[in-house]
Amino acid sequence: MEDLGSKFVQVVVALAIFAAIIGLIMLIVDRAPKSIRDKVTIAGFLAPAAILLIVGMIWPAVQTTLLAFTDRDGNANGIENFVWMFTEPTALITLRNTVLWMALVPFLATGIGLVYAVIIDKARGERTLKALVFMPMAISMVGAGVIWRFMYAYRGPEQEQIGLLNQILVWLGAEPQQFLLDAPGNTFFLIAVMIWIQVGFAMVILSAAIKGIPAEIVEASRLDGASAWQQFKDITIPSIRGALVVVVTTITIITLKVFDIVRTMTAGNYDTSVIANEMYTQAFRANEPGRGAALALVLFLMVLPVVIYNARVLKQQRQIR
């Protein structure tokens, strides 16, 4: 009880000292010129956010960068972790898979979502059709991984199949396939899961952008004899360019950070690992925090150009408006 009482007194004293310091600062600021008071007021409002930014983002980023140049014992090892990343066959497969994800998911998901948005625009039951496609967005990545793991489930040819895709193959007279075990095709089956999730996001954003196209422009193109393809190519695409950029860049960033699907469905085995999964494996499974930090740094550098491009496009659009 005495220890508890002494700690309570220490807390009270600390709070009193803090309140006294704040009061003294306010008194000094109150007597200062107006320009100084305005600057102090602005700094006071920005200070909490700046502190959180430094503590939660900037400092961890600095620590991760420094850790990327150390070995498992914390000793500096130069660029050895990066040499491992670009020479070790397993690491190279990880980088190849990440590039495949980044090249296929954003453009396929956006393309399918755009086509679907155009087809169902002003169609009967549009809301229901949108809800059906958007529904996977409500499922977590882990949940989607579990669902699709059952979809791809494999049993021997003599056994009854529980996976939908293999059951369809059996009905068609073909042999069941080990979709998640055979490389490199298994990576594409994992990519299909991410596309399934992100199509709904792309469809909703692009559908809203399409509805924002002035009806007068569309009607004028029809009167000029433009075909459906010409309207899509010359009116729809240019009009929703900003939305397309946002969708592609957003899905690209999400794809670069993909972890849950790979970890849930294959744990990165069978040549399916990506940078985020390998970062976890090296840092927490293989006891190689330096390699994990190096992978995290490379992942950040891959995301950075996408973010910068997105910011530039949005800035250009604001200037046009």
Side-chain angles (χ1 to χ4, degrees), residues 84-232:
W84 163 84
M85 190 187 312
F86 293 101
T87 57
E88 177 69 25
T90 304
L92 289 174
I93 291 173
T94 297
L95 294 174
R96 179 204 68 187
N97 291 341
T98 303
V99 172
L100 278 175
W101 279 77
M102 187 173 64
L104 295 179
V105 174
F107 297 103
L108 288 178
T110 303
I112 296 171
L114 175 60
V115 171
Y116 191 81
V118 171
I119 291 174
I120 67 171
D121 186 44
K122 298 178 183 179
R124 180 180 298 180
E126 180 181 356
R127 293 182 180 179
T128 302
L129 294 173
K130 284 184 178 179
L132 290 174
V133 176
F134 188 76
M135 199 175 297
M137 283 293 297
I139 304 173
S140 68
M141 295 285 188
V142 174
V146 172
I147 292 171
W148 280 86
R149 191 170 182 179
F150 281 111
M151 292 280 287
Y152 293 143
Y154 167 83
R155 285 184 174 180
E158 299 81 11
Q159 297 178 315
E160 183 179 356
Q161 300 298 320
I162 61 172
L164 177 62
L165 294 185
N166 272 319
Q167 184 59 58
I168 292 174
L169 289 178
V170 171
W171 285 338
L172 295 175
E175 293 290 327
Q177 302 295 319
Q178 301 187 45
F179 294 104
L180 298 180
L181 300 184
D182 298 332
N186 48 6
T187 296
F188 293 98
F189 288 113
L190 296 182
I191 288 173
V193 179
M194 178 63 91
I195 294 174
W196 177 71
I197 295 173
Q198 296 301 325
V199 162
F201 167 74
M203 178 270 300
V204 168
I205 302 299
L206 297 177
S207 177
I210 290 171
K211 290 186 180 300
I213 300 174
E216 296 81 3
I217 298 177
V218 178
E219 188 62 29
S221 67
R222 288 175 181 171
L223 293 176
D224 288 340
S227 64
W229 169 249
Q230 289 174 327
Q231 291 179 26
F232 176 76

Side-chain angles (χ1 to χ4, degrees), residues 22-33:
I22 295 298
L24 180 62
I25 293 173
M26 292 180 65
L27 181 62
I28 295 173
V29 171
D30 188 56
R31 296 183 178 181

